[in-house]
Amino acid sequence: MVDQNYSTNQTEKDLFYKEKKKEEMKHQVVTFAMMIIFTLIAFGIVMADVSKMFTIPIIIVLAIVQVGFQFFYFMHMSNEGHTWPVTMIFSGIFAAFLTVLALTTIVWWG
Amino acid sequence: MADELLKSTNLPHDPERATLEGKNKFLGFWFFLGGETVLFASLFGTYLALKNSHLDGVPASELFGLGLVFIMTMILLTSSLTSVYAMYHMKNNAPKKMMLWLGITVLLGLSFLGLEIYEFNHYVNDYGHGFTTSAFSSAFYALVGFHGAHVAFGLGWFILLMVRNWKRGINLYNAPKFYIASLYWHFIDVVWVFIFTVVYLMGVVG
């Protein structure tokens, strides 16, 4: 009796995780499609040869969104148990932002 | 006992984080990726600061062609998806399918690397754009070359893992290894997204 209970629980659990993995896979395929679309838009805008002031901010925003998708879905940062990875990556991004800011503004003194 | 458990092919639903070693690898690797972010940021910052200092050499807007970069981008994005498939099969305990998708990922990575070598060779021989030509060329090769070196390292990593675990199946001992190698591969793709945007697209725009 106990054994039977255990095994039904186990099958239900397995089914639950199988379903969950499938769901996750769907999100990842959608992520991939979005990444391809963002890339096409970025290349498209550059090829359309519109104003530089318009193009550069848009392609940078597209890159940031695309990377967000990659981190949260391809690298599973949206799953549970990822508090530390999120903390570490965002600390890295914060330091990265300061680094790029410092290096790009320092040339103005030259 | 512990050894039997590690080698068992009856896997829990998150095999990459089921052991203490797996958890440590997972955390340590994300810590490393945070550091890599800053490392690449310093190279991006340097490139952005120096990209207009091309001396007598060719400026970015005349050097870069979008066709090749587009193909390279598509190859690397697709390889990121194929490694996601590999991890999906790892979690479902299907080692053969995982190896197949890892193999596809490696082939895509190799073609990316081949195209990059062709590209650099083209710049050096047809445009005289060498590593020491100008501040722009040094910053360019340092950034893009460093990324290329990461791709080469990632490929070596995947190949070693595949050869070593070819007949072993998936267990609690090697699942974390596959998982962090795939995290590394995704991170390479993340960096490339910024390279094609900041270096190539912004270079063409001027």
Side-chain angles (χ1 to χ4, degrees):
Chain A
M1 193 60 199
V2 177
D3 261 13
Q4 207 180 347
N5 257 339
Y6 172 78
S7 66
T8 29
N9 271 342
Q10 199 57 31
T11 358
E12 270 176 27
K13 213 172 150 187
D14 286 348
L15 276 175
F16 170 75
Y17 282 118
K18 205 169 180 190
E19 212 40 51
K20 209 175 147 191
K21 276 179 235 162
K22 265 193 184 158
E23 192 65 23
E24 201 175 88
M25 200 61 234
K26 254 186 233 161
H27 285 304
Q28 285 168 331
V29 172
V30 172
T31 300
F32 179 68
M34 299 287 260
M35 281 166 45
I36 295 288
I37 291 168
F38 286 154
T39 306
L40 288 174
I41 295 174
F43 275 88
I45 293 174
V46 172
M47 302 229 271
D49 210 12
V50 279
S51 152
K52 194 173 148 183
M53 284 299 149
F54 172 77
T55 310
I56 290 178
I58 289 196
I59 58 177
I60 288 179
V61 169
L62 283 172
I64 291 171
V65 176
Q66 194 172 335
V67 161
F69 269 109
Q70 181 106 3
F71 272 135
F72 281 98
Y73 292 103
F74 272 18
M75 294 168 84
H76 311 282
M77 236 163 66
S78 60
N79 290 14
E80 76 269 34
H82 280 70
T83 321
W84 279 108
V86 171
T87 314
M88 284 157 186
I89 283 297
F90 277 102
S91 319
I93 290 171
F94 172 66
F97 175 74
L98 289 182
T99 309
V100 172
L101 190 73
L103 287 170
T104 48
T105 48
I106 208 164
V107 284
W108 290 345
W109 273 273
Chain B
M1 177 64 197
D3 210 37
E4 259 170 51
L5 209 61
L6 277 178
K7 285 180 182 160
S8 159
T9 46
N10 185 14
L11 295 179
H13 67 276
D14 268 338
E16 77 279 3
R17 274 181 290 156
T19 61
L20 180 63
E21 187 178 332
K23 276 183 194 138
N24 288 342
K25 276 185 177 150
F26 173 80
L27 269 186
F29 199 74
W30 276 100
F31 189 32
F32 166 74
L33 289 183
E36 285 265 286
T37 310
V38 187
L39 190 67
F40 272 105
S42 65
L43 290 169
F44 271 108
T46 311
Y47 175 80
L48 284 170
L50 298 173
K51 71 182 163 86
N52 296 319
S53 318
H54 55 82
L55 294 176
D56 303 329
V58 199
S61 52
E62 288 171 33
L63 187 65
F64 301 142
L66 286 184
L68 189 68
V69 177
F70 183 72
I71 296 170
M72 286 165 77
T73 304
M74 286 303 154
I75 288 176
L76 210 61
L77 284 183
T78 310
S79 82
S80 206
L81 182 75
T82 56
S83 78
V84 162
Y85 276 121
M87 288 310 105
Y88 175 73
H89 291 304
M90 182 196 84
K91 289 194 176 187
N92 282 336
N93 204 356
K96 279 191 180 143
K97 283 182 184 166
M98 180 189 76
M99 288 294 180
L100 174 71
W101 285 106
L102 284 180
I104 296 172
T105 308
V106 167
L107 287 180
L108 288 167
L110 281 173
S111 41
F112 175 88
L113 209 58
L115 287 176
E116 186 152 89
I117 291 167
Y118 164 79
E119 183 201 359
F120 283 4
N121 189 40
H122 177 60
Y123 290 160
V124 172
N125 293 325
D126 303 340
Y127 288 92
H129 183 74
F131 189 72
T132 54
T133 307
S134 61
F136 159 61
S137 78
S138 302
F140 168 78
Y141 284 120
L143 171 60
V144 183
F146 199 58
H147 174 268
H150 273 71
V151 174
F153 184 83
L155 286 173
W157 190 352
F158 272 142
I159 292 169
L160 273 179
L161 276 180
M162 286 170 71
V163 171
R164 187 74 182 93
N165 296 291
W166 191 252
K167 283 178 180 164
R168 280 180 166 181
I170 298 160
N171 52 43
L172 290 180
Y173 176 67
N174 61 21
K177 298 183 182 217
F178 286 116
Y179 189 80
I180 59 167
S182 89
L183 280 182
Y184 182 77
W185 195 255
H186 291 311
F187 186 77
I188 290 173
D189 198 37
V190 162
V191 174
W192 180 256
V193 169
F194 280 109
I195 290 182
F196 86 70
T197 305
V198 171
V199 176
Y200 293 99
L201 292 182
M202 276 169 62
V204 169
V205 173

